[in-house]
């Protein structure tokens, strides 16, 4: 779950898709998956090892569905262990561009989640709950279609600091909005260190902190992480 530091082998499927255009490895996750930018961000190809290929198979239909309502990548094609999308303008909230402006990033993440939760229709959602959300979760504060992996790197920001889009929707599903908010605020600590960023995120979302639900969903997230979460960005 970081920017690649050494050379990365370009898989044949990425080479084939690139067809001579520039290829850059932009992200390596903890499952051994790599995301490549093709043609300077015009397109992206995410490649996962065989044992995690089902996670990409889950992401393609979720992107296609969510794209009807909000800004997420367009799926160009997908196959076993790879997902090819059109690039969205914007860079990840953990891009070095925002390292010195964590409050701006926290605000964009909060605003982005509010946008997502307001835009996606629960009643029409064909997907169940995110893999890590317990079946017997407490009564929802507000049931929404959750991102499912609301970590900071999965929010894209425009250069003016506003929210630009969501990526990494393989675990999108219906749950209490606090499932996303608990992970999104926790992830700020990992990515930006100590500060009042959590309050900034919740303020941009437009909700007062709910310590009990936050603790519950962080516990659920952490215990799923010991097993095989859909993602961990
Ligand atoms: N279509 C796209 N447009 C713009 N940026 C993208 C696109 N797809 C991927 N990215 C960039 O690549 C990064 C990795 O993509 P993504 O989060 O989908 O991969 P992942 O390996 O599942 O991540 P994680 O570590 O969260 O599991 C994103 O944070 C984003 O910066
Ligand atoms: Mg990600």
């Amino acid at each position: 779950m970081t920017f690649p530091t050494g050379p990365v082998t370009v898989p044949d499927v990425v080479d084939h898709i690139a067809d001579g255009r520039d290829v850059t490895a932009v992200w390596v996750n903890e499952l051994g998956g790599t995301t490549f930018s093709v043609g300077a961000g015009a397109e992206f190809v995410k490649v996962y090892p065989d044992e995690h290929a089902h996670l990409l198979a889950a992401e393609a239909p979720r992107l296609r569905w969510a794209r009807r309502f909000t800004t997420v990548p367009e799926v160009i094609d997908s196959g076993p262990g790879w997902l090819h999308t059109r690039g969205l303008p914007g860079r990840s909230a953990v891009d070095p561009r925002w390292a010195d402006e964590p409050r701006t990033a926290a605000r964009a993440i909060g605003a982005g989640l509010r946008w997502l939760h307001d835009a996606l229709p629960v009643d029409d959602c064909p997907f169940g709950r995110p893999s890590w959300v317990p079946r017997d979760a407490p009564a929802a504060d507000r049931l929404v279609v959750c991102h499912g992996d609301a970590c900071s790197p999965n929010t894209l920001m425009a250069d003016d600091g506003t929210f630009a889009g969501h990526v990494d929707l393989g675990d999108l599903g219906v749950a209490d909005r606090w499932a996303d908010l608990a992970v999104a605020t926790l992830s700020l600590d990992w990515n930006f260190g100590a500060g009042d960023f959590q309050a900034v995120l919740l303020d941009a979302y437009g909700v007062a902190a709910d310590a009990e639900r936050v603790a519950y969903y962080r516990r659920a997230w952490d215990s799923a992480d010991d097993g095989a979460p859909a993602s961990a960005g």
Side-chain angles (χ1 to χ4, degrees):
M1 33 192 301
T2 184
F3 299 106
T5 49
V8 175
T9 309
V10 178
D12 289 346
V13 63
V14 178
D15 231 10
H16 180 76
I17 287 168
D19 195 23
R21 291 176 294 171
D22 278 357
V23 173
T24 314
V26 294
W27 190 255
V28 178
N29 74 13
E30 63 180 21
L31 307 174
T34 306
T35 301
F36 297 87
S37 147
V38 172
E43 297 167 17
F44 286 80
V45 188
K46 205 161 135 172
V47 182
Y48 274 28
D50 288 349
E51 64 269 32
H52 300 298
H54 62 284
L55 301 172
L56 291 185
E59 183 166 3
R62 285 170 172 76
L63 285 175
R64 288 198 176 95
W65 179 76
R67 196 174 149 73
R68 292 163 47 197
F69 311 102
T70 188
T71 310
V72 305
E74 175 192 349
V75 177
I76 298 174
D77 201 1
S78 64
W82 58 274
L83 174 65
H84 178 196
T85 58
R86 192 155 331 273
L88 286 178
R91 24 171 145 219
S92 163
V94 301
D95 186 278
R97 164 73 179 84
W98 302 110
D100 295 335
E101 296 179 57
R103 270 197 191 77
T104 308
R107 216 174 293 124
I109 294 166
L113 284 177
R114 166 60 79 168
W115 178 259
L116 185 84
H117 293 169
D118 284 350
L120 299 182
V122 172
D123 291 346
D124 292 343
C125 180
F127 310 108
R129 63 185 193 289
S131 62
W132 58 275
V133 171
R135 196 184 300 276
D136 57 352
D141 164 36
R142 188 180 146 208
L143 207 58
V144 299
V145 180
C146 280
H147 180 289
D149 184 2
C151 296
S152 312
N154 294 333
T155 290
L156 299 183
M157 294 169 62
D159 282 344
D160 66 359
T162 56
F163 165 77
H166 290 289
V167 297
D168 209 359
L169 293 187
D171 219 358
L172 171 140
V174 174
D176 189 357
R177 59 183 178 173
W178 287 97
D180 271 352
L181 291 170
V183 173
T185 48
L186 178 64
S187 171
L188 291 175
D189 286 357
W190 303 329
N191 290 289
F192 298 105
D196 65 346
F197 315 134
Q198 302 202 12
V200 172
L201 188 155
L202 293 179
D203 185 60
Y205 183 92
V207 71
D210 182 333
E212 213 170 296
R213 286 191 168 91
V214 163
Y216 176 83
Y217 285 105
R218 286 183 183 176
R219 269 198 309 276
W221 173 264
D222 284 342
S223 36
D225 205 23
D226 298 334
S231 183

